[in-house]
Amino acid sequence: MDRARDPHPYDALLLLSFGGPEGPDDVLPFLENVTRGRGIPRERLAEVGAHYHLFGGVSPINGHNRELLAALRSDFAGHGLDLPVYWGNRNWAPYVTDTLREIVRDGHRRVLTLATSAYSSYSSCRQYREDLAGALAALAEEGLDLPRVDKLRVYYNHPGFLETMTDGVLRALDELPADVREGAVLAFTTHSIPTAAADTSGPPAGHGDGGAYVSEHMDAARWIAEALAERTGVRRPWELVYQSRSGAPHIPWLEPDICDHLRTLHEAGAPAVVMVPIGFVSDHMEVLYDLDTEALAVAAELGLPAVRSATVGTDPRFVAAVRDLVLERAATERGEQPQRCALGTLGAGHDVCPVGCCAARTPRPAAAGADSPYA
């Protein structure tokens, strides 16, 4: 077999995502799954659930994952990559335990996982690894032979991600009125997390002052801003801002919030703004509500021209990036030294999460890492 198309030793890819409700009756049970064990009041769940009900109780994330699943299968087949692709979720059907059971019963023994989160943090990496460990524990109790499960490295700085995001910003700039386009500033936005979680994100050597979560986002945003300057001849002010805070008011979370940032930009006289959802792979609920609904409403109230650029979704370059990452990891597992594509200043991330990486709030077993009980 051509090594450039050889996924060996892997015999399956698992697309692992967050999950979301697919109808009004699913909303509250889904939110209970997401927040289980965190003591979130039912009134708060109802408040968040109202966001979903604005869209018929349906999160777009499952639909986007079905599209990505189909795109990956098509791309793999078109490039001679013989690797079946499965899909499982953390918080809604198809649940990861059920999907891993299907993978095992189909006879697969080495599973590579693609999480739909591009960065390092507890919620975007280790928590997925914990759910993988929980699924493997459930299968062990059923007496099934466990596969080895690995996880692809973070991919926020892969060219297929960053170049696709950059083109999305260029298209968004074209949507602005011509008289404000040149002066438009950039607001790179991602999910806010507790500052304590940010400070302990990534390997222990980089803990503190936002950890890997902030440094990775900053590096990606800086690269896009520089690429835009080269392509347009305009060097635009930019800032990394946050959205979708959901924690208790007394716990510090990453700031500034996108809506507060829009007010600051307006007061400073910014002529227009492009919101760049750099922290998200697809247009799921937190993009549709927090940006397209809430933030754009604030901008309209202020009279501040604002647009939102696209996420990577199923852009062929992003799908090809996944294929590249799969083949890179497979070659590494075979003892080869493949080229590891990465833009920016931080370089390609680690393949195996070290002990203490993205430290858990409470200790739980996590698969696909140096501390995995399922090596």
Side-chain angles (χ1 to χ4, degrees), residues 57-193:
V58 178
S59 168
I61 193 169
N62 279 350
H64 287 305
N65 284 328
R66 291 186 182 97
E67 293 172 1
L68 182 56
L69 183 70
L72 288 168
R73 288 171 172 169
S74 177
D75 177 271
F76 286 7
H79 289 84
L81 183 61
D82 184 15
L83 191 70
V85 188
Y86 296 78
W87 166 40
N89 288 327
R90 292 186 49 234
N91 297 298
W92 202 250
Y95 290 102
V96 61
T97 301
D98 297 330
T99 302
L100 272 179
R101 184 184 299 110
E102 179 185 2
I103 288 172
V104 169
R105 289 177 174 170
D106 285 347
H108 301 300
R109 308 302 307 149
R110 289 290 301 269
V111 182
L112 191 53
T113 304
L114 166 69
T116 56
S117 298
Y119 297 85
S120 300
S121 76
Y122 173 77
S123 57
S124 59
C125 184
R126 185 178 175 91
Q127 198 166 20
Y128 284 94
R129 294 175 49 223
E130 290 178 350
D131 285 314
L132 286 169
L136 291 169
L139 299 188
E141 290 181 1
E142 296 172 14
L144 297 178
D145 291 333
L146 300 185
R148 173 170 165 176
V149 180
D150 293 330
K151 179 180 175 293
L152 287 172
R153 64 177 171 93
V154 292
Y155 48 85
Y156 67 93
N157 58 2
H158 193 285
F161 185 84
L162 287 182
E163 291 172 356
T164 302
M165 290 292 300
T166 302
D167 284 349
V169 180
L170 287 169
R171 292 193 299 271
L173 284 166
D174 286 341
E175 297 174 15
L176 288 169
D179 60 333
V180 298
R181 189 176 301 147
E182 185 168 330
V185 302
L186 307 174
F188 292 94
T189 181
T190 190
H191 205 301
S192 183
I193 61 175

Side-chain angles (χ1 to χ4, degrees), residues 244-258:
S244 313
R245 175 185 172 134
S246 60
H250 68 280
I251 297 176
W253 282 52
L254 294 174
E255 296 178 337
D257 175 78
I258 178 61

Side-chain angles (χ1 to χ4, degrees), residues 193-219:
I193 61 175
T195 56
D199 291 346
T200 54
S201 59
H207 286 179
D209 196 24
Y213 188 74
V214 172
S215 64
E216 290 171 359
H217 279 86
M218 290 292 289
D219 202 49

